Structure formats: structure tokens, C-alpha cells
Amino acid sequence: MPAPAPAPAPASESASVPVSRRTALRLLGGAIAVVAATAATASPARAADARRVSQLLAKLTLDEKLTFLHGATDPAPLGQAGYIPGVPRLGIPPLRLSDGPAGVRVTAHATALPAPALLASAFDPALAREYGRVIGREGRALGQDVLLSPMVNLIRTPYAGRNFETFSEDPLLASDMVAAEVGGIQSEGLIATVKHFAMNNQEYERQSIDVVVDEQTMHETELRGFEAAIQAGAGAVMGAYNKVNGTFACENPYLLTTVLREQWGFEGWVMTDWFAAHSTAAAIRAGLDMEMPDGTYFGDALKKAVTDGTVPEALVDRSVRRILTVMDRFGLLAPRGIPPRPARDAAAGARTALKVATRGGVLLRNEREALPLTGAAARSVAVIGPTAKVPFVSGGGSAHVVPDAAASPLDAIRARAGKVTYALGEDIYGRVFFEHTIPAGTGGYSHDIDVRVPQDDEWTFLIHYTGAHPDRPKVVLDGGDELFPQAPGYGEFFSGGLISTTPDGLSVRRKAIRLTAGTHRLSVTATAAQTFRLARITSASRAEDVAAAADAARHARTAVVFAYEDATEGLDRTTIGLPGHQDALIEAVAAANPRTVVVLNTSSCSAMPWLARTAAVLQMYYPGQEGAAATAALLFGEANPGGRLSQTFPVSDGRHPVAGDPHRYPGVDGEERYSEGVDIGYRWYEAQKVRPLFPFGHGLSYTRFSYSRLTAEPDGRHGLRVTFTVRNTGRRTGDDVPQIYVGPSPDLTLPQPRVALAAYRRLTLAPGQARTVTLRVPARVLSSWDPAAHGWVLGTGRRAVHLGASAGDLRLSRTAEVR
């Protein structure tokens, strides 16, 4: 089949540069190298595998073939996301597909690992591989065959509801992390699925938004992580919901054939995101292989298309062959038999979870050495905030994991400090004012409750309830609208990872509403047997909570405030400010005690209007089941913070790359334009000279590091070799992450970032210890995508090379010739 033409670029795109004869030869040489590498892998063993798959394929009926191409109902469900039945008569086993960005998501217990955003903050690909191995082993132990992870979409907007599920705003860091995690997952025999391909960087209108993006931007930013996952051997790719340049991603021939198959040589299979299919013939021709979770388009509709000649059966065979080939690669096809499943090692999973959470924690601020808590600072501590008592393990949606156990930070602090007091600070479940259990066989329930409102006020009503979502009680205020209606579609399942469930396991829904002074009536009706509670949060209750927190802080040597932001798949944030009244809480506590430490359990960046009045801020994202132990270890100095921000933190909602431009986010008339081009994340701040709250790569330590003796020179085939010395000049052992950034090439007229991360290394140094580090910057990192040639072109000439502690703290610079 001829290669489809590349997706057209927007009219506003910059003109591409002419390609010189030397550049063309270089690009041709790269293509020849790819062909040679492919030929070299055609070993006799691989040929035998291909024959085995061909023999199986020849024995399959059309109906049997189609069962591989769409999801089905599992006769023995384990709570996983998808199921492919297999063909028992030929010894082809079923496939079970599980969500798992931060652990295996089934109904059974699994290790709840820290969110990938926290993993990425460790700047440690070896740790990402270990993270992947835990998920890979547990996935197989829990009866799964395919993992719907990792997610590698870049953090483009701070509002995206799934930022915590992915790695970074930087293409290089994201590529390194995803490649390592894929290697770890698949080393344990679990098939990894990299997602969501591609340009899926927001939840708002995610099922319909049309992302308009030029070819250079696409390849230099978002696609680099996917390519790295393919090079690492990922067995499957999940297509995204959104459109890319006018065509849905799951039927986009440029993405699924030109890029994935022809440019990258991908040999695995492509599945849809759940209910992301939109066609039959167009999708399979474009390169889609599997529709999930059902067969709306690839079931009876595809069979009809084959039988009437609309779709050649050869296309069905192509897709089935891709799936069987991956299954065979992982030992799932006869005559080998399914490899024995390992036992789950919960203790090993917990150790890795603790290591990741500890190494990924980022110390953002530490004035006058407020941390670590030692001596008098540790003898009297006021702990404040709901997530101090109720551990924030994971975000909502498909990232939620059922952990074996999760201790609270409050208990972990009590085990280390002297006198510890606790104050709620911010009520997230409300004061219960009515509770009832409806017994079985009642046949219906109705009850009216009068509530008195002392003055005009905003109240938040909450319902806590058992049972299934459709059966929850109906609550009507003053004969008007229902307070807690069913959310449309899958909205009921995307309601957060913390606020949607009470500590005793009841589901929660909430509604904020402005009430006038006087008496109001709540009418409750229900049909199912269940227990429910009604609760409220008012201005008076909020004031009481803040006053109690400030009083606790005033009478302690140190105040530690745990603040949260509860993100979930399916919903974007509306602001980078903390939800509820947490800003006012932190302001009040800091006013009562200048030694106030803030621990952030947030999905992404946060605005911090209170920052200057606090002593320290520790960013812990969603730290998994061992988050309490990791947080306490960092607070009390048992571990030295070494994490670095994998995303820029802006000052406010008005000062970041998509602020003030609805065409960039959330889109206008269903269309979103990536008009920032290659200047994603910290690159935009540098290009626009906008000062962030905290730059990409930022992170403090309980010790100090100095950099010296920077050199940069040509290395090997078009790359650079960069050498420098790092010294621990402080009094504690600690980890540092020196970062190399490169400037643009003078020989290219393509758009280029002013600075781009080119290399980094995490290292541990004892007090006074120095280490000379050599990092290599490969040609790909020094190259730009040329849309005229549809390939990479080396950025030659004298280029700036910077060594820094972050993108905003570049301490040493040199120039080097790229040849």
C-alpha cells in the first residue's frame, strides 16, 4: 500500500528550509541504516516464529479472526479493563488487559506505586525500569497479559487532568523514562501498551477535540516519547480519542502507518482507547488493529465489510498477524504453553514504592534551614490538613489502585516527633447532619429534612452512600433540581481519587450552592437497600476549621500543612490554585507560625500566593501506598531530597504557555492549535522571558553542590561529549542532578528552542566528595525535524552548551562545534 501523504500543516506554519545535498545524503544514510538493522534481525529463529504464526493464521476462520480485533465480555472477570477470548481449539489463550500507570488496576490488591509524575522527578531511568518491573511482575501474578501503560503524552497545559499519569513537559526526559519503564514491564513477561497516540494533552473535549499541529512540532515534542517506547520494544500502542489535523487519531493514516510503521518500524498492534473507534473500513485501512472494549465497528460491521468486499480479508489477516506475533514473542502461543505466572511479591513492591516516593520528592523551598526537622523543631509539631490523616495514594480514573495498605502521614510523623497535635484545617467530607440505613425489602423510601440557614451563604451539600451509582438516593432541594444527578457517560467513574470516597469506604458526591437565609427542605427518595449520609460544609464550619488549625500552629514549634488537589481522568482542572479554601488556610497557619512547612499532594503544578510566608515547601505529588513513610523520611532528614521538577511551575493562571490564548487551550469551535511550536514547557518561558514560580529541573537539598571545569567537544558521529566536575560542598550526603542544555544551531533556519535539555545525570556524593562526570549528547538530540524532507537534520555549527541545576539556573557555559 503506498504511504499516505503527511498531514497538512496549518497555513500559519513557518516555511521550511531547503535541504542541502549533504543533509539529503545524511538523511538517506539514516534510512539505509534502519533497513540494514531490520535485515540483521531476520534470524532463523525469527523466521520460525513467523512460520508458526502463519500456520495458526491459516487455521483460523473469519469469525475466529475477528475475535482478536475487538473486546469481549470476560467470563471470569478480574476487574480488568479489557478481554480478548482467544481460540481454545488452537491453543491460543485469552488476553486480559489491565490499566496500570501507577500499579495494576484490578479488584485485587496490588502495589500502589507513586504517580509517574513523581517517578519522573527522580530523573533516574534505572529507577523507572525497576518501577516497570514491579508492575510487570504483579500484572502477570494477577492474571493479566497486557498493561495499558505507560502514558507518555507531554505535559503541555497545567490544567490537563491526567498530568500526574505521565512524565514530563520535556521530550528527552519523557523518552528516557518511558523507554526504561517499558523495558522493566516487558522483562517480566507483561506486554506494555504506550499511550495515547498522539497529541492527547487535555481531558476537555478529549473525545472530539481536533489538534492542529505542524509536522516539526509533532516530531520534536510529543512523538519523541512514543518513538522511544517503540525502540524499547513496546508490544502495543493505544490510539488517542482526539483528532490530529482533522482526522481521528485511531483512524489517522499518517500516525498509524507513515509514522508508526514506516518511519519507526513498529511490528506490534494498535488498539483504540476505550470507545475511541469511529469507523470500520477507514480505521483498519489506516492501521488500526483492535477496537476496545467491544465490537461496534470491528465485530459484525467488519465481517459484513469483508464479505461484501469493502474490506479485503488480507487487512484482517494483517491485524491478526500483528497480535499473534506479539503473543508469540511473549511465549503465549502453543506449542510453548503459557509461561508460569509468578507469585506476587508485595514486600518487594512496597520497597520500590518507598524508594520512588523518597527519591522523587522535590524540596521547592527551604528558608533558614527549616527542614529537616531536628532538635526543637521536631519536639513540638502541629500537623494540619485532611490528607495528613487520610493518605493521598493515587489520582482518580484508570490510575486508581487498591493497595495492600497505606499509612497516614500523621502516624508516620507521630512515630518520629515529640508532641504532635492534629487539626483538620480543610473539611472535604463535611459535617454529617442526617444518616439512615434502608433495609432490604423496604420497597421504597422517602423522607423530608428541613435545614436552617442562619444567613445568606454558600453551602456544599454532600451525600455519602453505599451501593451502585445508579441506585444512590435522589435528593431534591426545595422542590427544584436534583442535587446529585448521575453524570453522563463515564463521568460517574471520573470523580477523583481522594474526595470521591470516605475513609470508611462510602462513595461521595457533592454540590456547592448559594442559599438564602431561612429554612430549606431536602426531599430524599430511594429504591435500593443501602446506607447513606447527608453532610454539609458552610462558611461557619470552614471558619471553625481554619481557626482551630491556626491555634494548633500557634502552640507548636513547627506547623506542617498537607495540601491537596484531586485530579482524575476525564476532567481538566479549572485553575492551578489549590481547591477549596486551602490558600486561606495556609495563610492563616503561616501567620500564626512562621515555621510553617507545606507538603503538596497535587497532580501537577500549583500557584502559591502564600509562598513567601512559609518556611518550606515539599512537592510529593501522589506518592502511592508508601507516601507517608517517604514524606516523613524527607521531613525529618532520614533521606535527603534529590528530586527535581519535571515540569515548570508558573506563578499564576495568567503566566504559562497556554494562558490567554483559547486557541491553544482549551480550543475554539472544537479546534486546538499547538501554535507555541517547539517551545513547549520551560522552552516557552525562556523564549518569552517569563519568570516562573519554579523552573523545570528545580529542586533543593539539605546540602550544596558546586560545578566546575566544564568542557564540550565533538564526540563520535555528530554528537558532543560534555565533561564537568560536581562537588558536595555541604555537610550531608546528598543527590544532585546536574543538567546539560544546548542552544540553537546557527546553520538551521528551522524554529529551534533557545535552550533544550540535552543530558543529565543523578549522582550521590558524600560531604566534600567531588566527581568528574562525562555525558554524551547524541546527534538526535542535536537535530531538528525538517518538514520538507520528512526527516531529521543535524544542527551543525558552534552551539552553546550550558551546565546548570535547573533550566533557570545555568551556571557554566561553553561552545562546541557540531560537525
Side-chain angles (χ1 to χ4, degrees):
M1 187 168 77
S12 60
E13 182 184 335
S14 300
S16 54
V17 298
V19 180
S20 68
R21 179 177 180 273
R22 184 170 66 177
T23 298
L25 289 172
R26 186 181 303 121
L27 293 166
L28 178 61
I32 292 171
V34 169
V35 172
T38 302
T41 61
S43 64
R46 186 166 178 177
D49 293 342
R51 283 196 300 273
R52 180 164 54 252
V53 169
S54 294
Q55 290 166 358
L56 280 174
L57 186 59
K59 297 175 183 177
L60 292 170
T61 66
L62 176 60
D63 286 336
E64 288 171 334
K65 291 174 186 177
L66 292 175
T67 64
F68 288 94
L69 306 192
H70 63 83
T73 300
D74 189 346
L78 301 169
Q80 80 279 1
Y83 175 76
I84 299 295
V87 181
R89 73 178 184 88
L90 296 177
I92 303 175
L95 289 176
R96 288 184 168 89
L97 300 83
S98 169
D99 286 314
V104 183
R105 184 176 182 252
V106 292
T107 52
H109 290 284
T111 299
L113 291 160
L118 184 56
L119 169 66
S121 296
F123 275 69
D124 186 352
L127 187 61
R129 183 177 179 86
E130 181 179 335
Y131 184 100
R133 291 194 67 179
V134 169
I135 300 177
R137 180 186 178 99
E138 292 208 342
R140 296 216 66 247
L142 293 168
Q144 305 304 296
D145 307 291
V146 182
L147 183 77
L148 306 175
S149 184
M151 175 178 173
V152 74
N153 302 100
L154 292 183
I155 297 174
R156 175 179 176 265
T157 166
Y159 305 119
R162 301 183 81 172
N163 281 348
F164 69 96
E165 289 189 55
T166 191
F167 298 110
S168 178
E169 67 187 26
D170 179 74
L172 174 65
L173 180 59
S175 298
D176 290 348
M177 300 304 288
V178 75
E181 186 180 339
V182 165
I185 293 165
Q186 297 195 155
S187 71
E188 298 293 327
L190 193 68
I191 300 167
T193 306
V194 64
K195 63 184 187 183
H196 309 85
F197 192 62
M199 319 312 292
N200 182 188
N201 305 111
Q202 67 185 57
E203 295 301 280
Y204 177 77
E205 294 185 349
R206 66 174 180 168
Q207 293 181 318
S208 61
I209 196 76
D210 183 11
V211 177
V212 178
V213 55
D214 65 83
E215 189 178 327
Q216 181 189 359
T217 296
M218 192 187 310
H219 281 271
E220 290 190 26
T221 59
E222 177 87 350
L223 294 188
R224 281 181 63 185
F226 287 98
E227 182 181 8
I230 300 309
Q231 291 173 341
V237 169
M238 181 188 290
Y241 286 116
N242 51 279
K243 298 176 184 175
V244 178
N245 292 331
T247 304
F248 280 109
C250 287
E251 55 186 49
N252 191 306
Y254 179 66
L255 290 176
L256 303 187
T257 297
T258 302
V259 173
L260 197 56
R261 305 288 181 183
E262 295 171 359
Q263 292 178 359
W264 297 347
F266 178 58
E267 295 181 345
W269 86 84
V270 179
M271 70 182 79
T272 67
D273 204 336
W274 268 224
F275 302 104
H278 291 273
S279 67
T280 299
I284 198 167
R285 289 181 186 277
L288 181 68
D289 301 306
M290 181 186 289
E291 176 191 6
M292 294 302 293
D294 60 18
T296 302
Y297 295 98
F298 274 26
D300 290 343
L302 181 54
K303 181 178 181 179
K304 181 178 183 300
V306 171
T307 54
D308 68 17
T310 304
V311 172
E313 190 169 353
L315 291 182
V316 172
D317 290 350
R318 181 182 70 177
S319 292
V320 176
R321 182 184 299 276
R322 290 167 175 170
I323 297 165
L324 291 176
T325 297
V326 176
M327 293 179 69
D328 191 53
R329 174 182 151 200
F330 282 79
L332 300 179
L333 297 184
R336 300 174 182 174
I338 300 175
R341 295 190 182 273
R344 182 169 169 254
D345 190 342
R351 287 193 296 272
T352 296
L354 177 60
K355 182 191 297 187
V356 173
T358 305
R359 290 174 67 83
V362 184
L363 183 61
L364 298 178
R365 174 180 171 86
N366 194 23
E367 295 300 298
R368 299 178 298 279
E369 298 185 343
L371 292 178
L373 299 178
T374 59
R379 285 197 288 270
S380 172
V381 180
V383 180
I384 297 161
T387 49
K389 194 170 186 179
V390 180
F392 204 140
V393 175
S394 63
S398 59
H400 186 69
V401 178
V402 182
D404 294 293
S408 74
L410 177 60
D411 287 341
I413 291 172
R414 280 177 170 154
R416 292 164 171 82
K419 178 184 177 183
V420 176
T421 57
Y422 173 71
L424 179 63
E426 175 86 357
D427 190 353
I428 57 177
Y429 302 117
R431 266 79 155 168
V432 174
F433 63 89
F434 184 81
E435 182 170 6
H436 186 71
T437 297
I438 306 171
T442 301
Y445 172 85
S446 64
H447 186 69
D448 290 339
I449 307 160
D450 289 337
V451 294
R452 194 179 71 82
V453 179
Q455 59 188 22
D456 292 359
D457 193 7
E458 180 183 276
W459 280 31
T460 298
F461 285 106
L462 302 95
I463 185 168
H464 310 168
Y465 62 97
T466 59
H469 298 300
D471 295 329
R472 71 164 167 257
K474 180 178 180 180
V475 183
V476 173
L477 175 66
D478 293 333
D481 294 332
E482 185 177 355
L483 285 179
F484 314 110
Q486 298 292 316
Y490 275 74
E492 280 291 334
F493 301 97
F494 301 139
S495 56
L498 173 77
I499 63 174
S500 63
T501 307
T502 64
D504 59 346
L506 275 66
S507 297
V508 179
R509 293 296 180 267
R510 65 200 68 227
K511 173 72 172 186
I513 192 166
R514 192 79 187 172
L515 297 177
T516 57
T519 299
H520 296 264
R521 173 157 292 184
L522 296 173
S523 299
V524 183
T525 57
T527 57
Q530 60 187 295
T531 295
F532 72 93
R533 300 190 291 247
L534 296 177
R536 62 190 169 204
I537 302 170
T538 69
S539 293
S541 67
R542 284 192 295 267
E544 290 172 5
D545 291 337
V546 170
D551 186 63
R554 191 174 297 112
H555 291 90
R557 171 65 175 170
T558 304
V560 181
V561 181
F562 283 79
Y564 77 93
E565 175 260 320
D566 195 9
T568 182
E569 176 184 359
L571 294 174
D572 279 348
R573 304 162 73 186
T574 57
T575 175
I576 63 171
L578 295 173
H581 294 76
Q582 293 181 96
D583 286 338
L585 169 66
I586 296 171
E587 293 273 9
V589 172
N593 188 333
R595 292 184 60 86
T596 292
V597 177
V598 179
V599 178
L600 292 169
N601 292 132
T602 57
S603 68
S604 187
C605 60
S606 300
M608 304 179 198
W610 35 260
L611 181 66
R613 288 173 288 285
T614 60
V617 179
L618 178 64
Q619 176 68 45
M620 291 302 294
Y621 296 103
Y622 300 158
Q625 68 180 49
E626 303 300 319
T631 301
L634 292 169
L635 289 175
F636 287 88
E638 297 163 14
N640 194 342
R644 302 292 185 264
L645 290 182
S646 64
Q647 55 191 292
T648 308
F649 277 34
V651 171
S652 67
D653 284 305
R655 294 175 67 80
H656 55 73
V658 300
D661 187 346
H663 290 276
R664 288 188 182 178
Y665 178 85
V668 176
D669 296 329
E671 182 180 275
E672 176 189 28
R673 292 183 170 267
Y674 284 26
S675 57
E676 70 274 21
V678 298
D679 285 331
I680 190 171
Y682 65 89
R683 301 173 178 187
W684 178 87
Y685 290 88
E686 174 64 23
Q688 301 299 319
K689 299 301 179 185
V690 173
R691 185 179 180 87
L693 184 64
F694 295 110
F696 172 89
H698 171 74
L700 303 177
S701 171
Y702 297 150
T703 188
R704 293 179 175 81
F705 301 93
S706 67
Y707 302 152
S708 62
R709 300 166 58 189
L710 173 66
T711 64
E713 55 189 5
D715 177 60
R717 186 176 174 83
H718 315 307
L720 292 176
R721 183 172 64 253
V722 181
T723 302
F724 53 90
T725 298
V726 183
R727 181 181 297 276
N728 182 343
T729 61
R731 300 188 303 273
R732 290 173 175 263
T733 296
D735 285 12
D736 189 35
V737 184
Q739 301 153 44
I740 297 297
Y741 295 82
V742 296
S745 162
D747 296 345
L748 293 180
T749 57
L750 291 164
Q752 299 174 74
R754 293 170 61 93
V755 293
L757 183 69
Y760 56 90
R761 173 73 55 79
R762 181 166 181 144
L763 62 159
T764 303
L765 296 174
Q769 182 182 5
R771 184 177 301 171
T772 297
V773 179
T774 296
L775 299 179
R776 284 175 167 78
V777 181
R780 169 61 72 86
V781 174
L782 298 167
S783 300
S784 295
W785 182 269
D786 184 355
H790 309 305
W792 293 96
V793 56
L794 185 65
T796 55
R798 294 199 68 79
R799 301 187 63 168
V801 178
H802 309 285
L803 169 63
S806 74
D809 184 11
L810 303 180
R811 300 179 183 179
L812 299 175
S813 298
R814 297 289 184 270
T815 60
E817 185 77 23
V818 178
R819 301 169 184 153

